[in-house]
Amino acid sequence: PETALRSGKVLRISVTDRCDLRCIYCMPESGVTLVPMADMLSYEEIATVARAALAVGVRRFRLTGGEPLARRGIAALVRLLAGLGPDDLALTTNGTHLADIAADLKAAGLARVTVSLDTLRPDRFVKITRRTGLDRIFAGLEAARSAGLAPLKVNTVVIRGVNDDEISDFVRFADREGVELRFIELMPTSGFSPECKELGAWRPSLFV
């Protein structure tokens, strides 16, 4: 077991269930029932868990959510975790607040970020996320690059009939912007159900 733990496994740390987007494949328009903040692990408690993981050979940490940048003072957690000396400390974000905090995250010890981005078109962004703000994500990517958060990665969930016609656009975008692009499969385990997903129940026809 110890050998397996030293094989590059990642401790994924979900710091919040809150998110400012309502992506059609992830969350209903009305949102979800949130865990009270009093029941969330504090940053000090998260650092204790991370320290224990390091002790058994897990050398890489990834901060996720919900949207991790929605949790107040996230740079303080980055500083705590960076101080433990992991081999890698990364964060996955929707990018809407990245422009405001990229430099602080880098200064706190974050190594790199991955930005979730499912379309390059403003009108389609509204359709997929039920929110505006695509320009803020582009600004966040630029801020991350300027701050030295590298390699800069973009995750794109491909959905047939929704954004699969943008695959070549994304490849050109990645080449032009110097980002590492990863196409992500739509997951039936994301919880597709008629009462909470505009896309309806899981349909294999949506899968690319």
Side-chain angles (χ1 to χ4, degrees):
E2 184 176 353
T3 301
L5 286 171
R6 295 183 185 279
S7 65
K9 290 185 179 297
V10 177
L11 177 65
R12 298 178 65 92
I13 303 169
S14 177
V15 300
T16 182
D17 54 356
R18 288 153 174 79
C19 185
D20 52 342
L21 301 183
R22 293 291 181 270
C23 294
I24 54 177
Y25 58 80
C26 181
M27 195 182 292
E29 171 65 52
S30 59
V32 295
T33 301
L34 299 174
V35 175
M37 285 304 299
D39 293 337
M40 293 278 189
L41 291 180
S42 69
Y43 288 162
E44 291 74 18
E45 289 169 331
I46 290 173
T48 297
V49 173
R51 190 177 296 108
L54 280 170
V56 294
V58 179
R59 303 292 311 171
R60 301 167 59 200
F61 302 150
R62 180 168 301 140
L63 299 175
T64 69
E67 169 49 43
L69 301 188
R71 183 157 174 181
R72 194 170 302 169
I74 189 68
L77 174 61
V78 170
R79 189 170 291 105
L80 283 173
L81 296 178
L84 300 178
D87 292 343
D88 184 44
L89 178 55
L91 180 145
T92 299
T93 174
N94 65 29
T96 57
H97 300 290
L98 188 56
D100 300 327
I101 198 173
D104 291 340
L105 292 173
K106 179 65 176 180
L110 189 70
R112 58 190 180 85
V113 295
T114 297
V115 176
S116 299
L117 179 60
D118 299 328
T119 181
L120 301 171
R121 306 178 187 179
D123 57 337
R124 188 170 285 176
F125 182 83
V126 173
K127 176 183 177 182
I128 293 174
T129 69
R130 305 189 186 99
R131 299 291 187 270
T132 58
L134 180 59
D135 55 334
R136 297 203 311 272
I137 298 176
F138 290 145
L141 286 166
E142 183 57 39
R145 180 184 293 107
S146 298
L149 292 166
L152 184 57
K153 299 183 179 182
V154 169
N155 283 350
T156 300
V157 176
V158 182
I159 310 171
R160 189 178 304 282
V162 175
N163 67 346
D164 57 320
D165 58 339
E166 289 189 68
I167 289 176
S168 58
D169 292 338
F170 264 105
V171 171
R172 285 188 287 267
F173 171 80
D175 180 55
R176 183 176 68 249
E177 298 297 323
V179 301
E180 181 178 321
L181 174 65
R182 298 184 296 185
F183 292 118
I184 307 296
E185 295 176 346
L186 186 67
M187 301 292 181
T189 51
S190 296
F192 283 85
S193 60
E195 68 271 14
C196 72
K197 306 294 180 189
E198 284 188 358
L199 287 179
W202 169 250
R203 296 191 301 273
S205 61
L206 297 173
F207 183 81
V208 176

